Amino acid sequence: MDYDDSELSDSPLPVPLDGNEGRDARREAVLDGCLQWKRKPEPHGLKFPKRSYIQSWEAVEARTRNELLDSIANAAFKPIGHEDGDEVEDATFPFRDDHVLCERFLKVDLAAREPFAASQIQSRRDAALLELGRNRQLTFNDQNERNEYLASSSGLLRSIPQTCMYIVLDKNDKVLVHLDPLGVERAFGRKVKTRMERDGILFYYHKKPERNFNRRHASNSEAGNRRRNNLLESQCGTDHYGHRHPTGDPYGVISETQDSEKLKNYDGQLLFHYLKNIVGTITRLLDFEFGFLDPELRGQYREVYKKSPEAARLLPTNRPRHKETYCFRALLVNMPTDEHKDQNDWKGGLTGLVQIGKFNGAAMVLKQLGIILPGYRSGASLQFRGSILSHYITEWRGKCRYAFDHTTHESVRQYVERKKARKRLRAMSGGTSEDSESAREESSEPPEPDDPDKPKRAVQPKQAVNKPTATKRKRLSKTDADSDTDPIAEHSATPACRVKLTLECKLPPTAAAATEEDE
């Protein structure tokens, strides 16, 4: 169910504290134990023994994936009753305690260079919207107004029911989109979801969100969003946690974000509690879904995190026994999201999203698929290919909205691939694996001490160079002087003299001295 307007409080959100007042409030909150959870819940109430935590977790993921694949294989897919019926077929089947609506797009291929090259869905929507605008004499000030009209009033997008889980497959049955409208509540219960909303309001009362803007959050749409919801500028922003390359420099040094550096001071303890309890719980949910949707890709994510520079990683926000999957997290606080593709994210990878708060609206729109997802609401979990799917959210109204974006950047993945390639090249050139591990991989990493057992290359002796004798230097200098004074002297010299000078230049000193004695 959507958030009810009657539950909205007339009083606005508390303004985040700043300066000495905010610092004192954060220290007092830390001492009072705010944002600390005594028990960290597992998805769907699962309980894993400590000794075999990872094996039990992966076994549940594998069992869930096998059940889902069997259900998809046994489902009867039929073309949808829509103009896109030549490209889309769907099926509905029960899955555990819920129903699943699964759609297969027959002209979308994730393995191709351009996955949507053969699809005509978006071009049909653009042509229909253009014709509709001419008939109704519509004018739009910018692309955001056009997209909002397409999602709300045009009737051109297929609205997916929000009463069941929704899965989108390409023609090879690779997952494009997975939406669970009750993701947080189904996995952890209603009380955990309510506490997440309450702790979000409490945390951002003590901390102001950072004002980090890019083209995804245009200034005009952000200002309109504040006016609609009576929000102050200090109550809106985006925080980034994790590690990445510098903006615009994919070959630079990987470092932690500026927001992550704030965890190292005393005031950062409150932030760490928030990331470890609320964000950590969301991370476990997204990681569990990632595991049964595409376990092979999830394994690649974990390998990239493991081989990325340890000094730049975010402090562990998950359970100590749980493997980390995502290198980067973005927390959007009361922000709109304009149409875009996640160009910096893992190319073809799965991006995990969860939003919580007290609001109405904020439905996800995927224009290339011609669908709108009103089920993407507070407490919903969404997995989709954000780097190849153009997406945006509709306007929302309410008290607060917090969106949690989990991903890994493509440049970090390429860094790990280059690191592995250099290791293979050293192994092929005769080096051992120990040499590869002890070698310096990046300028930001400190050099390791020399290993006495490490085999050293044999140094080739330099060839001895014969230095000219004093007699030869004197004669050469005299010849040069004569040539400078008389340019014809070199050409007028006899052949015997030229032969003698040549021998002095080429023969060693002993042989040159013997030649002089013979003369």
Side-chain angles (χ1 to χ4, degrees):
M1 297 177 61
D2 286 340
Y3 181 75
D4 188 4
D5 288 333
S6 62
E7 300 179 11
L8 291 176
S9 175
D10 296 335
S11 59
L13 284 175
V15 180
L17 299 177
D18 195 11
N20 296 332
E21 182 183 2
R23 183 164 54 253
D24 296 339
R26 286 191 291 271
R27 292 179 178 178
E28 183 179 356
V30 171
L31 296 177
D32 292 343
C34 291
L35 305 178
Q36 297 188 31
W37 292 16
K38 296 181 180 179
R39 175 179 170 271
K40 299 179 179 59
E42 295 287 358
H44 306 282
L46 299 174
K47 295 181 180 180
F48 305 117
K50 294 182 179 180
R51 294 184 178 181
S52 58
Y53 180 86
I54 298 299
Q55 293 79 2
S56 302
W57 179 283
E58 294 178 349
V60 173
E61 290 176 346
R63 186 166 63 251
T64 305
R65 176 173 175 79
N66 292 333
E67 293 178 9
L68 182 61
L69 292 178
D70 292 342
S71 300
I72 293 176
N74 297 327
F77 284 86
K78 297 180 180 179
I80 63 175
H82 193 270
E83 62 177 350
D84 297 331
D86 59 333
E87 295 191 25
V88 186
E89 57 183 14
D90 66 349
T92 303
F93 52 86
F95 181 69
R96 295 188 173 180
D97 58 345
D98 200 355
H99 288 271
V100 176
L101 172 61
C102 184
E103 293 186 346
R104 180 184 289 128
F105 285 70
L106 304 177
K107 295 186 178 181
V108 179
D109 186 6
L110 283 177
R113 184 180 182 88
E114 296 292 338
F116 295 90
S119 178
Q120 301 295 326
I121 295 178
Q122 184 173 0
S123 59
R124 291 173 185 170
R125 300 297 188 279
D126 293 339
L129 182 61
L130 182 61
E131 183 66 23
L132 186 64
R134 290 175 180 175
N135 296 335
R136 298 183 181 181
Q137 297 181 356
L138 301 176
T139 57
F140 305 106
N141 294 327
D142 54 16
Q143 183 70 18
N144 294 329
E145 290 188 5
R146 181 179 181 273
N147 289 336
E148 186 64 27
Y149 179 81
L150 175 66
S152 59
S153 305
S154 66
L156 299 177
L157 298 177
R158 290 189 300 112
S159 180
I160 304 301
Q162 51 183 323
T163 58
C164 61
M165 295 176 60
Y166 178 62
I167 299 177
V168 177
L169 306 174
D170 72 340
K171 68 177 187 179
N172 300 319
D173 287 348
K174 285 288 187 180
V175 176
L176 281 169
V177 181
H178 172 268
L179 172 66
D180 188 353
L182 300 175
V184 175
E185 186 174 342
R186 192 194 310 275
F188 305 110
R190 184 183 295 272
K191 292 183 179 180
V192 173
K193 174 178 174 292
T194 303
R195 182 167 184 178
M196 285 182 177
E197 297 173 351
R198 184 195 64 187
D199 286 359
I201 296 175
L202 176 63
F203 174 71
Y204 283 108
Y205 167 71
H206 293 286
K207 177 191 176 297
K208 294 199 314 184
E210 299 296 329
R211 301 291 294 172
N212 299 318
F213 288 104
N214 51 31
R215 62 184 181 85
R216 304 179 186 181
H217 315 290
S219 58
N220 54 350
S221 61
E222 198 269 339
N225 178 70
R226 293 203 310 267
R227 288 193 300 269
R228 284 191 303 273
N229 300 298
N230 298 321
L231 297 172
L232 300 178
E233 186 176 357
S234 60
Q235 297 172 314
C236 306
T238 306
D239 296 337
H240 300 109
Y241 301 103
H243 57 275
R244 60 182 179 182
H245 283 93
T247 304
D249 186 9
Y251 296 95
V253 178
I254 298 178
S255 60
E256 58 184 345
T257 62
Q258 295 181 358
D259 298 329
S260 298
E261 295 177 356
K262 298 177 182 178
L263 291 170
K264 300 177 182 178
N265 53 34
Y266 182 81
D267 294 339
Q269 293 185 21
L270 192 66
L271 172 60
F272 181 70
H273 292 327
Y274 183 73
L275 293 177
K276 189 173 183 179
N277 296 317
I278 291 84
V279 182
T281 302
I282 293 175
T283 300
R284 285 193 293 278
L285 171 60
L286 294 175
D287 188 60
F288 179 79
E289 293 179 348
F290 202 166
F292 71 77
L293 291 176
D294 198 337
E296 183 179 356
L297 182 61
R298 200 267 304 269
Q300 298 177 16
Y301 270 61
R302 287 183 171 181
E303 183 182 9
V304 168
Y305 179 88
K306 183 178 180 181
K307 294 185 178 299
S308 59
E310 184 176 0
R313 299 177 195 167
L314 178 68
L315 294 176
T317 59
N318 215 331
R319 286 181 175 271
R321 301 181 301 274
H322 197 106
K323 294 181 180 179
E324 289 286 347
T325 301
Y326 304 99
C327 295
F328 186 78
R329 296 169 178 84
L331 276 61
L332 280 68
V333 183
N334 300 323
M335 292 294 293
T337 302
D338 300 334
E339 182 182 4
H340 70 285
K341 292 182 181 179
D342 299 327
Q343 301 289 354
N344 295 329
D345 289 1
W346 189 302
K347 188 175 181 180
L350 278 174
T351 300
L353 289 174
V354 168
Q355 61 176 354
I356 58 174
K358 300 179 181 297
F359 61 90
N360 285 325
M364 176 67 72
V365 179
L366 304 173
K367 291 175 60 177
Q368 292 161 291
L369 302 178
I371 60 176
I372 180 172
L373 303 175
Y376 181 60
R377 56 195 180 190
S378 179
S381 61
L382 175 65
Q383 303 268 358
F384 74 115
R385 310 278 176 173
S387 61
I388 61 177
L389 282 171
S390 178
H391 57 280
Y392 66 93
I393 65 168
T394 60
E395 294 180 356
W396 60 273
R397 296 179 182 273
K399 188 176 181 180
C400 58
R401 174 181 172 268
Y402 309 116
F404 303 85
D405 185 349
H406 291 62
T407 185
T408 295
H409 280 185
E410 173 69 14
S411 60
V412 179
R413 184 193 70 84
Q414 292 182 1
Y415 160 79
V416 173
E417 292 297 329
R418 293 194 300 268
K419 187 175 180 179
K420 292 165 59 177
R422 289 194 296 268
K423 182 177 179 180
R424 288 194 298 267
L425 288 175
R426 281 194 300 271
M428 292 173 60
S429 62
T432 60
S433 59
E434 290 79 9
D435 299 339
S436 304
E437 293 296 333
S438 62
R440 184 180 179 183
E441 292 294 336
E442 193 179 26
S443 59
S444 60
E445 300 178 4
E448 298 183 359
D450 296 337
D451 187 358
D453 300 332
K454 180 180 178 180
K456 298 182 179 180
R457 294 183 178 179
V459 180
Q460 298 293 337
K462 296 183 179 180
Q463 296 182 356
V465 180
N466 297 327
K467 297 182 179 180
T469 60
T471 306
K472 185 175 69 173
R473 288 197 300 268
K474 182 176 180 181
R475 291 187 179 183
L476 289 176
S477 61
K478 183 176 180 181
T479 305
D480 296 339
D482 295 341
S483 301
D484 292 338
T485 55
D486 187 3
I488 309 176
E490 182 182 357
H491 300 281
S492 60
T494 60
C497 295
R498 288 198 293 271
V499 172
K500 181 179 179 180
L501 292 175
T502 304
L503 290 174
E504 290 178 354
C505 294
K506 294 184 177 180
L507 293 178
T510 55
T515 305
E516 293 177 0
E517 293 177 358
D518 294 340
E519 293 178 354

